[in-house]
Amino acid sequence: MYMDIHSMISAQRRLAMTTWQGAWQIVKHEIRRDKLGLLFSLMFFTYVAVILIPIFNERLESEAMGQNWLLDFMYLSLLPNLGFVMNRTMFRYWRDDPFTKKIAAWRTMPISPAHIAAARFILLSIVLIAGWLYFFSLEYIFISAFHEKLSFLQYIGFAAFWLGYALIFACQYVYLELGFSGKFYVSACFVYFALFGLLTYLINLSGDGAVFGVIKAVQNGQWWISALSLAVAVVALLFTNLMLRKRLAKRNLLN
């Protein structure tokens, strides 16, 4: 009996190792072929960071922290996209459905849904965390008012909240990207765009808005919001990975 249980555990470990090793091979392939896309993503978020500098400096220096609809909408809608590479593929979702074709090609090889899902979430995590570090480093360096209003640890708490937030919504995008057709995915993105607008409106009804509300929270030592955001992000990552595996296993790739 003991030997049976031991053999079962060993088999599960070997399967997990094989899954992650296979996933990592896919990740390395995707990174190699998307170097130009990574550069364009870097340039885009550099631009976003630059245009936010005067908004932050003006509001923080004037003590007028509070509602700022534009700032909130940009954070809520754009930060989840830190994990996505800007390349030609993203502009062909509707017409060519490139991800469905890619998955169909992979499934003709010894590549399982577990490999595909794990690889996509590993790639998402790498790109998003790298983009997050770059974006929030730029903001801290060039937004001088941050140095006066927040300690370095408080700024890390502020940035950590948005890392968790970005991961939560990016996981949903990945599930839609690989789990459904290109047309469905593009349609869903428009729905999310409207959702972010509604979310911006509702949050600003409450007073401080999203961005400055988080700043005030970390100023007041409310670190739990950053910890909660990251914890929910980890749960979302694991849960969505599991759900995507199941979705890919039964998805009809011919339609």
Side-chain angles (χ1 to χ4, degrees):
M1 179 68 177
Y2 171 77
M3 290 300 294
D4 288 342
I5 294 173
H6 181 73
S7 299
M8 225 163 75
I9 292 173
S10 297
Q12 288 295 324
R13 285 177 176 170
R14 286 196 299 272
L15 179 61
M17 283 288 288
T18 303
T19 298
W20 288 108
Q21 287 170 349
W24 184 242
Q25 293 302 316
I26 297 173
V27 169
K28 289 192 290 186
H29 168 74
E30 292 293 288
I31 289 175
R32 281 195 297 266
R33 66 186 292 273
D34 267 339
K35 289 180 181 177
L36 189 59
L38 289 167
L39 178 61
F40 276 114
S41 299
L42 189 72
M43 292 170 60
F44 174 73
F45 280 99
T46 301
Y47 170 75
V48 172
V50 167
I51 64 174
L52 292 180
I53 290 171
I55 300 175
F56 266 115
N57 277 328
E58 179 186 357
R59 299 302 290 265
L60 289 169
E61 290 173 357
S62 66
E63 302 289 343
M65 288 195 297
Q67 295 178 349
N68 191 302
W69 294 54
L70 175 61
L71 194 59
D72 284 355
F73 182 73
M74 291 186 72
Y75 260 61
L76 292 172
S77 61
L78 291 180
L79 289 185
N81 293 291
L82 282 170
F84 293 83
V85 179
M86 294 182 65
N87 53 28
R88 288 177 296 178
T89 300
M90 68 182 298
F91 298 106
R92 300 186 350 246
Y93 282 121
W94 183 275
R95 186 186 63 189
D96 295 338
D97 202 358
F99 273 96
T100 297
K101 294 177 181 177
K102 180 187 290 187
I103 295 169
W106 281 346
R107 292 306 308 276
T108 64
M109 309 175 195
I111 299 177
S112 69
H115 288 124
I116 296 170
R120 188 64 187 89
F121 282 109
I122 292 172
L123 181 62
L124 171 74
S125 300
I126 291 172
V127 176
L128 194 148
I129 291 172
W132 168 79
L133 281 170
Y134 176 74
F135 179 79
F136 281 93
S137 295
L138 278 183
E139 291 210 318
Y140 188 74
I141 291 169
F142 292 106
I143 299 175
S144 57
F146 270 137
H147 307 159
E148 301 167 8
K149 301 298 179 182
L150 296 173
S151 69
F152 184 65
L153 284 178
Q154 287 174 334
Y155 184 76
I156 290 175
F158 168 73
F161 172 86
W162 292 108
L163 173 61
Y165 167 84
L167 272 169
I168 292 166
F169 278 93
C171 286
Q172 297 174 46
Y173 282 149
V174 166
Y175 181 78
L176 294 168
E177 177 188 69
L178 299 188
F180 298 88
S181 69
K183 289 185 177 180
F184 185 92
Y185 175 67
V186 172
S187 301
C189 286
F190 281 110
V191 173
Y192 270 85
F193 191 75
L195 174 64
F196 290 129
L198 177 62
L199 192 58
T200 300
Y201 172 74
L202 293 175
I203 291 173
N204 277 271
L205 286 179
S206 66
D208 291 327
V211 175
F212 289 116
V214 176
I215 289 175
K216 288 183 178 179
V218 296
Q219 281 179 327
N220 295 329
Q222 296 174 356
W223 296 93
W224 63 268
I225 66 165
S226 301
L228 179 62
S229 176
L230 292 172
V232 174
V234 171
V235 173
L237 197 61
L238 296 174
F239 177 74
T240 315
N241 179 49
L242 178 61
M243 295 301 294
L244 182 57
R245 289 185 185 190
K246 294 180 178 179
R247 174 68 187 169
L248 289 173
K250 65 180 183 180
R251 185 183 167 192
N252 182 359
L253 297 172
L254 299 178
N255 297 326

